[in-house]
Amino acid sequence: MPVSEQQNRALLNEIMRFRELNPQHQVSVRHYGHEEYKRLLPSMLAGQHGDADVFFWFAGTPMDVLASKQLLAPLDKLWPSAEWPHKFSPGVLSSVSSDGHIYGLPFSHYGWGFYYQKSLFKRLDLQPPQTWQAFLAVAEKLIDAGVTPFALGSKHPWTLAGWFDYLNMRVNGPAFHQQLLQGKVSFTDPRVTKTFLYWRQLLDKGYFPERHASYSWDEVLPLFFRQRTGMLLMGSFFVNQIPDQLQPDIGFFPFPTITPDLSVGENAPTDILLVKRGGMVNPAVSAFLRHMGDPVVQSRVNAAIMTLPPHRMASMPDNPVLQSSAQALQEADQLFQFFDREASPELTKQALDAFAEFMRNPQGLANLLAKLERQRLSELQENNK
């Protein structure tokens, strides 16, 4: 398992409980460093490196790639027998489904969206916006009050990928966004350009901090907490950074609608369990997955690591901000794993550089998209060899 120390403790505690409840099953655990695990996972699933049956991994495209290589056991029979189809949202189910089959069990995730201070919004008579026009109106009122609308630190430009993910999903829909990141749509498609034109609206109006590229995501938090900036687009791991005295004042709202009547996609990096092809013949595997799919277990694991349980019947953390984030995920039609988990590593690198350059020089958009398109075509050619 390539997990954090906090995750490691929570999962090991749950494995110990499973052993106590199921003494007839033998369970062993192996740990790997993250990079080593990524390198070895395909060979482990193929039975060429060790004899493990259940594996930690990520939903969405990272899972789809393994499924396309026929390395995973479908869990199609287990899901209905465990009565899971109606206990996970459609968005969660879509994140572990590929080519008509279910391959993963989600046990932990966290959402993205906007954070704001309720006292600031109350003082300026603002409401969390649901539409793009309302979003721009809120930003204008913040500007008029001397507050920079968006907190942003892009020294490490993965934060910009969150902006692109949401703008593209809200402009063109989650299905188009997924196709783009999987290399099935050209980056010179007019629909991609349209996404950047919405982004440019925010740049041209000066809604981002002037020196955002000088700061990391957490280095701008003091400006947000002091109400020098008004809204922060971030994952819910941010909640751990909020001072205790400010916790009650922090609110949350999903990224606003841009194109009406589109399906709703949300970023929700999701940790899942996979089974190697043929692994379901082991009765311990089914028993362990049922254990990890229990709402009480998911409540316990996620409470320990301050993340959200995907199971609808699980207890959410005792934190109103996290509960609001969880509601947005439950209402989504499709969940994504974030740009760098959905796209290839090289495309991700090129895209992050392009996003940063766009923030510096939006007039050069055509050249940036042409460069990303060359990378897409190069990867297609390599994959077709």
Side-chain angles (χ1 to χ4, degrees):
M1 295 187 297
V3 296
S4 68
E5 185 59 34
Q6 199 175 22
Q7 281 180 312
N8 180 42
R9 287 195 300 270
L11 291 173
L12 281 179
N13 287 340
E14 214 49 62
I15 290 169
M16 291 297 294
R17 287 191 179 93
F18 175 76
R19 284 173 173 166
E20 293 172 1
L21 294 170
N22 301 272
Q24 73 276 24
H25 296 310
Q26 297 297 315
V27 181
S28 61
V29 182
R30 293 177 185 155
H31 298 275
Y32 297 86
H34 185 69
E35 294 304 317
E36 180 187 17
Y37 187 80
K38 285 197 299 184
R39 179 175 58 84
L40 292 177
L41 182 58
S43 62
M44 289 192 289
L45 287 167
Q48 300 168 359
H49 189 94
D51 58 356
D53 292 307
V54 180
F55 298 83
F56 172 97
W57 199 229
F58 310 117
T61 298
M63 182 203 75
D64 294 343
V65 170
L66 299 174
S68 70
K69 296 177 180 178
Q70 299 185 339
L71 294 173
L72 306 180
L75 307 183
D76 301 338
K77 294 182 179 179
L78 176 62
W79 269 72
S81 69
E83 299 182 347
W84 289 337
H86 302 295
K87 294 178 181 177
F88 292 88
S89 72
V92 169
L93 182 57
S94 73
S95 74
V96 292
S97 301
S98 182
D99 291 331
H101 297 286
I102 303 173
Y103 287 102
L105 169 65
F107 68 89
S108 180
H109 64 182
Y110 64 88
W112 276 67
F114 278 106
Y115 297 89
Y116 68 99
Q117 289 196 51
K118 299 173 187 176
S119 59
L120 174 64
F121 271 43
K122 182 177 181 180
R123 175 165 60 87
L124 299 179
D125 194 25
L126 300 175
Q127 296 296 324
Q130 297 182 2
T131 67
W132 185 253
Q133 290 306 317
F135 187 53
L136 296 179
V138 167
E140 278 298 305
K141 285 193 175 182
L142 288 167
I143 284 281
D144 291 343
V147 178
T148 301
F150 304 122
L152 176 67
S154 67
K155 181 165 64 176
H156 308 295
W158 61 265
T159 54
L160 300 177
W163 277 92
F164 179 77
D165 279 343
Y166 272 106
L167 284 166
N168 198 39
M169 283 193 284
R170 295 299 190 261
V171 171
N172 297 309
F176 177 85
H177 185 60
Q178 185 173 48
Q179 291 172 349
L180 179 69
L181 269 56
Q182 291 177 349
K184 298 176 181 178
V185 176
S186 170
F187 274 92
T188 57
D189 187 299
R191 291 170 290 183
V192 180
T193 301
K194 185 177 180 181
T195 292
F196 279 95
L197 293 180
Y198 274 92
W199 199 345
R200 185 166 178 175
Q201 287 184 46
L202 309 180
L203 284 171
D204 289 347
K205 290 178 178 293
Y207 290 164
F208 294 100
E210 290 185 3
R211 300 183 61 231
H212 61 83
S214 301
Y215 301 100
S216 62
W217 77 271
D218 52 346
E219 289 173 339
V220 299
L221 294 185
L223 297 177
F224 177 73
F225 294 143
R226 294 170 188 162
Q227 300 187 359
R228 301 275 297 278
T229 56
M231 297 174 279
L232 171 68
L233 179 64
M234 191 52 62
S236 62
F237 54 82
F238 152 76
V239 173
N240 287 323
Q241 304 291 321
I242 302 172
D244 290 344
Q245 66 271 23
L246 286 182
Q247 285 277 354
D249 195 35
I250 302 297
F252 172 90
F253 63 89
F255 201 103
T257 298
I258 296 178
T259 303
D261 302 323
L262 286 178
S263 297
V264 176
E266 298 287 350
N267 271 346
T270 303
D271 295 334
I272 64 175
L273 297 176
L274 303 173
V275 179
K276 72 178 181 183
R277 188 171 184 84
M280 291 301 291
V281 300
N282 183 349
V285 170
S286 177
F288 181 66
L289 292 179
R290 287 174 181 271
H291 178 81
M292 292 301 296
D294 183 270
V296 174
V297 171
Q298 294 213 354
S299 300
R300 194 160 49 218
V301 169
N302 286 278
I305 57 180
M306 281 297 288
T307 48
L308 301 172
H311 198 295
R312 282 175 156 170
M313 306 304 292
S315 299
M316 291 297 158
D318 187 18
N319 182 297
V321 178
L322 288 178
Q323 290 171 3
S324 297
S325 175
Q327 182 178 350
L329 299 189
Q330 290 173 355
E331 294 174 353
D333 299 303
Q334 194 165 349
L335 300 183
F336 286 90
Q337 303 308 300
F338 203 75
F339 193 105
D340 61 354
R341 289 192 186 180
E342 299 283 356
S344 69
E346 187 56 35
L347 177 58
T348 295
K349 181 180 183 303
Q350 297 276 357
L352 295 185
D353 289 344
F355 299 155
E357 179 60 28
F358 175 74
M359 295 289 285
R360 289 190 294 268
N361 177 30
Q363 292 84 1
L365 176 61
N367 289 334
L368 295 175
L369 294 180
K371 184 176 181 180
L372 292 177
E373 178 61 8
R374 288 194 294 272
Q375 177 62 35
R376 184 187 77 90
L377 293 175
S378 174
E379 292 186 10
L380 281 178
Q381 184 177 13
E382 184 67 27
N383 292 337
N384 289 332
K385 285 183 178 179

